[in-house]
Amino acid sequence: MENGGAAAATNTAEKHVAIPIAAVANGGGEESKVEDVPAHALLPSGPRKTGFFIFILNIRSLFKLDELGSEVLRIAVPASLALAADPLASLVDTAFIGRLGSVEIAAVGVSIAIFNQVSKVCIYPLVSVTTSFVAEEDAIISKAIEENSSRDLEKVSHVDSETDNLPVSGPDKAECVNSCIPAECTDLSDNGYKRKYIPSVTSALIVGSILGLLQAIFLIFSAKFVLSIMGVKSGSPMQGPAVRYLTIRSLGAPAVLLSLAMQGVFRGFKDTKTPLYATVVGDAANIILDPILMFVCHMGVTGAAVAHVVSQYLITLILLCRLVRQVDVIPPSIKSLKFGRFLGCGEQPLES
């Protein structure tokens, strides 16, 4: 009984914490006195039930969106849906190809793996650099146009002073940004332009097109060699359909990289709904064309590749039509393209 009473007293003592409370009475200071307060009262959300409690602490605050949170949500949700659209379309595509036979589905799987690995070399640098530069230049040019709306367009040197305050990621980044905005970009009102010209937009389109053409040429002329590295040797029943699928699929490489570059542009404009719309339309076209070309037209694996290429060019066409309505993609001069900034500013300076 004595041991039980001692344990109960210990548990009771552990549930209370002595904290000082300052008391002031009648305008005079009194010494602080100590008061026992239950330990769970010090927690912001009541007593801790389990160790997992720390992960759901104040979870209700996640649903209280302020202006910034709402803007992030408007950007993140369409972008996430666009990323989920391609895998879903690929599942349907795989289901149709699987009906052709085990050899065909294995051959297509190897070809898709090769195509995706080659594309990844260019995808992430192209999209991330494009998004960053387009957002940066769009903010600078938009602010300059607003400040020059009173017909003081000759004071374009103000843009250089604005770029000095931008965050930099290296010692060479500031010099690169200061020279990235040509004067033609802010002289839109006098020249009668209704659309802005942003150098990084045109640069991204040209770089994406060139990289896509290089990827297509490389995969078309080295299809058998690359497949042999992946284990599809000569004499294998997989080699024929794999070469056909990879060769035709490579024809869509320029559209793939060009569409990814434009998706980076729209993300720089904080617009993720347009890429989502284009992706859904293109994937839907792919799903519709697959059974028609593969089974109705009896094209087999070739039909699957053609359907995918058509869908990629459809996505590119939709994005390009939407893009030319917002910005002017034709540069006012060759010097305004600033390829040196686009290709070199993402590099970190080497330490001596």
Side-chain angles (χ1 to χ4, degrees):
M1 293 296 292
E2 293 180 356
N3 293 336
T10 302
N11 293 334
T12 304
E14 291 177 351
K15 294 181 180 179
H16 291 74
V17 177
I19 59 174
I21 300 178
V24 179
N26 298 326
E30 296 181 359
E31 294 183 356
S32 299
K33 56 183 179 180
V34 178
E35 179 177 326
D36 289 338
V37 178
H40 64 79
L42 301 177
L43 295 175
S45 300
R48 180 172 62 87
K49 300 299 182 182
T50 62
F52 188 72
F53 176 78
I54 190 173
F55 295 102
I56 59 174
L57 184 65
N58 294 331
I59 193 172
R60 289 181 297 177
S61 61
L62 296 176
F63 300 98
K64 296 179 181 179
L65 296 178
D66 54 4
E67 182 178 356
L68 179 60
S70 300
E71 184 178 3
V72 171
L73 191 62
R74 287 194 300 268
I75 296 174
V77 172
S80 301
L81 294 177
L83 292 176
D86 280 335
L88 292 177
S90 298
L91 289 176
V92 179
D93 197 14
T94 303
F96 285 124
I97 297 174
R99 295 175 63 89
L100 297 175
S102 58
V103 174
E104 286 76 7
I105 189 65
V108 170
V110 175
S111 301
I112 292 176
I114 294 174
F115 185 88
N116 291 338
Q117 290 299 323
V118 176
S119 298
K120 284 181 179 179
V121 176
C122 306
I123 286 177
Y124 295 108
L126 180 63
V127 175
S128 60
V129 170
T130 301
T131 301
S132 175
F133 285 172
V134 169
E136 179 182 72
E137 293 179 3
D138 182 43
I140 296 173
I141 294 173
S142 298
K143 187 173 182 179
I145 294 175
E146 291 177 0
E147 294 181 352
N148 295 337
S149 59
S150 60
R151 299 299 180 178
D152 294 333
L153 299 177
E154 70 278 1
K155 297 179 181 180
V156 293
S157 60
H158 176 70
V159 180
D160 291 335
S161 63
E162 288 292 333
T163 56
D164 292 337
N165 297 325
L166 291 174
V168 296
S169 58
D172 296 332
K173 185 69 177 289
E175 296 180 1
C176 175
V177 175
N178 289 336
S179 60
C180 71
I181 307 296
E184 299 95 319
C185 298
T186 56
D187 293 340
L188 303 178
S189 299
D190 282 348
N191 296 332
Y193 289 101
K194 295 182 179 179
R195 295 169 297 175
K196 294 179 293 185
Y197 170 71
I198 300 178
S200 290
V201 173
T202 306
S203 301
L205 297 181
I206 295 176
V207 171
S209 301
I210 294 175
L211 291 177
L213 288 174
L214 293 177
Q215 178 181 340
I217 293 172
F218 170 75
L219 290 177
I220 289 173
F221 289 99
S222 63
K224 290 185 179 180
F225 173 74
V226 177
L227 286 170
S228 64
I229 296 177
M230 296 293 290
V232 183
K233 305 292 184 180
S234 299
S236 172
M238 293 170 52
Q239 188 184 51
V243 170
R244 290 198 304 271
Y245 186 89
L246 182 58
T247 302
I248 297 175
R249 178 82 179 259
S250 300
L251 297 175
V256 172
L257 292 182
L258 189 58
S259 65
L260 288 172
M262 286 188 286
Q263 289 182 30
V265 170
F266 281 106
R267 290 176 185 176
F269 295 150
K270 297 188 293 186
D271 178 12
T272 54
K273 294 182 180 179
T274 299
L276 173 61
Y277 169 75
T279 302
V280 170
V281 172
D283 290 340
N286 185 20
I287 294 173
I288 294 173
L289 290 175
D290 267 339
I292 296 176
L293 297 178
M294 292 170 61
F295 305 114
V296 177
C297 299
H298 302 286
M299 297 177 65
V301 172
T302 303
V306 171
H308 192 86
V309 171
V310 170
S311 68
Q312 291 299 324
Y313 278 99
L314 180 60
I315 293 174
T316 303
L317 181 61
I318 294 173
L319 292 175
L320 185 60
C321 291
R322 294 294 184 92
L323 183 62
V324 297
R325 295 178 184 178
Q326 298 186 23
V327 297
D328 190 1
V329 297
I330 300 177
S333 64
I334 301 298
K335 295 181 180 180
S336 63
L337 290 176
K338 301 294 181 182
F339 282 114
R341 174 183 187 260
F342 191 86
L343 297 177
C345 281
E347 299 177 357
Q348 295 294 335
L350 297 176
E351 297 180 358
S352 57

